[in-house]
Amino acid sequence: MHDDLIARAQAWLAEDPDADTRDELAGLIDAKDTAELATRFGGTLQFGTAGLRGELGAGPMRMNRTVVIRAAAGLAAYLKKQGQDGGLVVIGYDARHKSEDFARDTAAVMTGAGLRAAVLPRPLPTPVLAYAIRHLGAVAGVEVTASHNPPRDNGYKVYLGDGSQIVPPADAEIAAEIDAIGSLTTVPRPTTGWETLDEGVLDAYLARTDAVLAQDSPRTARTVYTAMHGVGKDVLLAAFARAGFPEPVLVAEQAEPDPDFPTVAFPNPEEPGAMDLAFAKARETDPDLVVANDPDADRCAVAVKDGDAWRMLRGDEVGALLAAHLVGRGAQGTFAESIVSSSLLGRIAEKANLPYEETLTGFKWIARVDGLRYGYEEALGYCVDPDGVRDKDGITAALLITELASELKERGRTLLDLLDDLAVEHGLHATDQLSVRVEDLSVIADAMRRLRERPPTELAGLAVTRAEDLTRGTDRLPPTDGLRYTLDGARVIVRPSGTEPKLKCYLEVVVPVAGHSALPAARARATELLAAIKRDLSAAAGI
């Protein structure tokens, strides 16, 4: 086993085009570090519906140039089998370590395979790439990003020509083509022949952002903005300037791209502490709201002043606010969300006589809904201009929520006042998450097995009226690894994360509200129920 491991590592080393990972791997081989080599060579990073995502480093279980070249070659082979020979593949990238190298390698492989390749001019938000695919009539798009993962990670996200991310069976078909790639020496990689796009594609995207706002809406809300060390700042500032909003006050320490993300443990606005600097800036400047993007700017976080403190709105709260705003503007078309998001969207759509759809988790599903007008997911993802970007877009979502805050401000009201109105109208929909990050993935498998073998019959004293194993699919949903419990006045979904080593449990309780004066009691009841559901679910899952 030991000799076989060393031999595999040496074979990899002989092909590796990257001096950094060659040095790293040579060091492990010289040190005969079989434990570390076993983690690098114990399998291969699996290409799935999220594409690839993993830690940077040498070996098939890490993100590196060898893995990316193979992935690009597999994607090229798939596209050619689909009759897309000669078609355009557009490639974007963020500012993480190695992102530009991975983008260039992808362009070289596509060119060598007889496809045309065009690379965005510099690190730009993921929504700009999603927009460019349809704008340029591409047959596919690739975004090199690990979104809000830790600094040591990178990833590879694939879109097809409709501008939305891949779904089955395309993912498995591309994975099979990747597996069929032999030695890297068989993959032609010319050093020129692809196009580097100019600013025109970004200008076209920015021109499109204006369309999400009402023509003569007020633009008075003042914002504090953080780019979370990512690539969102320049594009968001340009979009806000075009729209005529006051210039956002920047969180200077997090404004410029930095692949080491020095001020945050995890560059995700949802993680504890990530918004601390933004809140400090808000206390100093007293804006109407705080807006944050994640590092590739496809997500948007919003915080508001609640009493004397600043608090981040949950994704479900922003999702409902944007829906109410669009309904108020007379939007037509289907409202959609994933099954883990709040059922409040369905109530808002129903009241407005609009079609409503639930999908599996992820924008790859939401973006495919027929007649989509608005889609959101609780993980801070909002699609407010599906004709322009068939994916979540943190720039246009920031524009729309700032327009709503401006309209409310003109009437002496706030986003929290509108949330109160929605609770009185539809019942208080309170959501929470029980999220367990693990080192050992078997912990997740054990918890899922335990829940399947002994499903809870009640949580927080509420009877479970229906328990569904989503691996079997439903009449509306394809199969997925998840469990859904419907309770009397509550709902719970348990699923392994698709992009991180986490078990995620999504909780929602709905408490009827008689009027505005009953809101404090309803909130207290909701908080109590959510805490009890968390406790009982943890016990049932053994986590």
Side-chain angles (χ1 to χ4, degrees):
M1 177 63 198
H2 168 261
D3 291 344
D4 175 53
L5 197 55
I6 297 290
R8 275 188 289 150
Q10 285 168 334
W12 185 278
L13 181 64
E15 285 196 339
D16 192 339
D18 188 329
D20 294 340
T21 43
R22 278 202 309 273
D23 291 348
E24 182 190 338
L25 188 52
L28 293 174
I29 293 170
D30 290 347
K32 295 188 171 52
D33 188 344
T34 49
E36 181 60 24
L37 287 170
T39 67
R40 308 289 188 98
F41 287 85
T44 54
L45 270 190
Q46 288 306 298
F47 184 93
T49 47
L52 292 166
R53 206 177 278 189
E55 193 175 335
L56 289 161
M61 287 297 287
R62 296 285 185 269
M63 281 297 292
N64 50 64
R65 289 184 60 199
T66 304
V67 163
V68 164
I69 290 165
R70 297 177 76 89
L75 174 59
Y78 167 82
L79 291 171
K80 289 170 81 169
K81 280 192 180 170
Q82 301 291 314
Q84 306 287 10
D85 209 350
L88 175 68
V89 178
V90 61
I91 301 150
Y93 58 100
D94 66 12
R96 283 178 180 264
H97 293 295
K98 299 286 180 188
S99 285
E100 191 171 356
D101 293 345
F102 295 167
R104 193 174 54 247
D105 282 331
T106 301
V109 171
M110 295 301 162
T111 305
L115 292 142
R116 291 179 299 126
V119 184
L120 292 184
R122 61 177 185 280
L124 285 167
T126 294
V128 177
L129 179 274
Y131 168 78
I133 294 165
R134 299 174 75 197
H135 176 65
L136 298 172
V139 299
V142 171
E143 176 71 15
V144 180
T145 180
S147 193
H148 56 275
N149 275 38
R152 63 180 184 271
D153 288 6
N154 213 328
Y156 198 80
K157 199 172 185 180
V158 175
Y159 297 76
L160 293 180
D162 62 355
S164 47
Q165 296 170 55
I166 51 168
V167 293
D171 56 343
E173 290 168 13
I174 295 168
E177 296 292 349
I178 295 170
D179 290 344
I181 303 297
S183 159
L184 279 202
T185 56
T186 66
V187 180
R189 281 182 290 137
T191 54
T192 58
W194 59 88
E195 181 186 0
T196 300
L197 294 164
D198 62 17
E199 296 297 308
V201 69
L202 179 59
D203 292 342
Y205 167 82
L206 285 168
R208 180 91 213 174
T209 62
D210 302 352
V212 305
L213 303 174
Q215 263 186 318
D216 40 10
S217 60
R219 312 274 165 97
T220 53
R222 293 181 308 107
T223 54
V224 159
Y225 172 70
T226 175
M228 206 68 64
H229 300 295
V231 297
K233 180 198 74 169
D234 291 348
V235 179
L236 181 125
L237 289 181
F240 270 58
R242 286 179 68 103
F245 286 111
E247 185 177 347
V249 174
L250 299 177
V251 178
E253 303 93 324
Q254 298 175 335
E256 298 304 327
D258 186 332
D260 294 317
F261 304 104
T263 67
V264 287
F266 288 95
N268 177 355
E270 292 180 294
E271 293 281 349
M275 295 288 283
D276 288 357
L277 288 170
F279 291 162
K281 181 60 75 176
R283 286 192 292 274
E284 197 184 299
T285 58
D286 197 32
D288 298 298
L289 70 166
V290 174
V291 173
N293 287 136
D294 67 338
D296 70 327
D298 64 349
R299 286 175 169 80
C300 176
V302 180
V304 294
K305 199 168 186 183
D306 192 356
D308 293 329
W310 283 86
R311 84 164 171 96
M312 204 158 100
L313 295 177
R314 303 191 70 84
D316 284 318
E317 292 176 309
V318 177
L321 287 168
L322 290 174
H325 183 39
L326 289 169
V327 165
R329 288 213 335 226
Q332 292 297 309
T334 303
F335 280 30
E337 64 180 339
S338 62
I339 56 171
V340 298
S341 306
S342 170
S343 59
L344 177 55
L345 184 69
R347 304 268 176 100
I348 292 170
E350 184 183 16
K351 181 101 189 251
N353 290 316
L354 291 173
Y356 164 77
E357 287 284 337
E358 263 192 332
T359 73
L360 291 185
T361 312
F363 265 81
K364 57 182 178 278
W365 298 108
I366 295 170
R368 284 185 152 70
V369 167
D370 278 347
L372 182 68
R373 175 59 187 87
Y374 168 64
Y376 97 90
E377 184 152 77
E378 54 69 47
L380 311 184
Y382 315 95
C383 174
V384 301
D385 176 26
D387 290 341
V389 176
R390 284 275 167 98
D391 199 2
K392 50 188 178 294
D393 182 345
I395 306 293
T396 48
L399 286 171
L400 200 61
I401 197 75
T402 309
E403 177 184 59
L404 173 59
S406 300
E407 286 188 1
L408 291 164
K409 181 181 181 177
E410 298 296 293
R411 305 204 302 269
R413 306 185 77 232
T414 66
L415 295 173
L416 291 179
D417 293 331
L418 180 51
L419 283 172
D420 285 352
D421 292 351
L422 290 171
V424 171
E425 190 174 357
H426 303 286
L428 176 69
H429 289 63
T431 54
D432 202 356
Q433 207 183 102
L434 171 63
S435 187
V436 185
R437 187 180 285 274
V438 300
E439 291 293 322
D440 178 2
L441 288 174
S442 70
V443 173
I444 294 176
D446 288 348
M448 294 298 285
R449 191 183 65 246
R450 186 187 293 233
L451 288 170
R452 283 190 170 104
E453 287 170 0
R454 288 195 298 280
T457 54
E458 65 163 41
L459 295 167
L462 303 175
V464 175
T465 55
R466 191 170 173 204
E468 298 167 277
D469 185 343
L470 299 176
T471 48
R472 301 192 180 100
T474 72
D475 55 345
R476 304 302 299 271
L477 299 169
T480 186
D481 186 10
L483 300 164
R484 177 162 63 179
Y485 303 114
T486 306
L487 295 91
D488 197 9
R491 183 214 65 199
V492 173
I493 290 172
V494 184
R495 61 179 282 273
S497 168
T499 53
E500 298 174 275
K502 281 182 172 180
L503 180 68
K504 290 185 159 182
C505 309
Y506 303 84
L507 325 176
E508 178 175 45
V509 297
V510 183
V511 180
V513 184
H516 280 79
S517 61
L519 275 167
R523 286 211 174 87
R525 173 66 178 150
T527 302
E528 177 191 313
L529 280 172
L530 287 169
I533 291 173
K534 266 191 187 179
R535 184 192 63 227
D536 292 356
L537 188 61
S538 295
I543 49 173

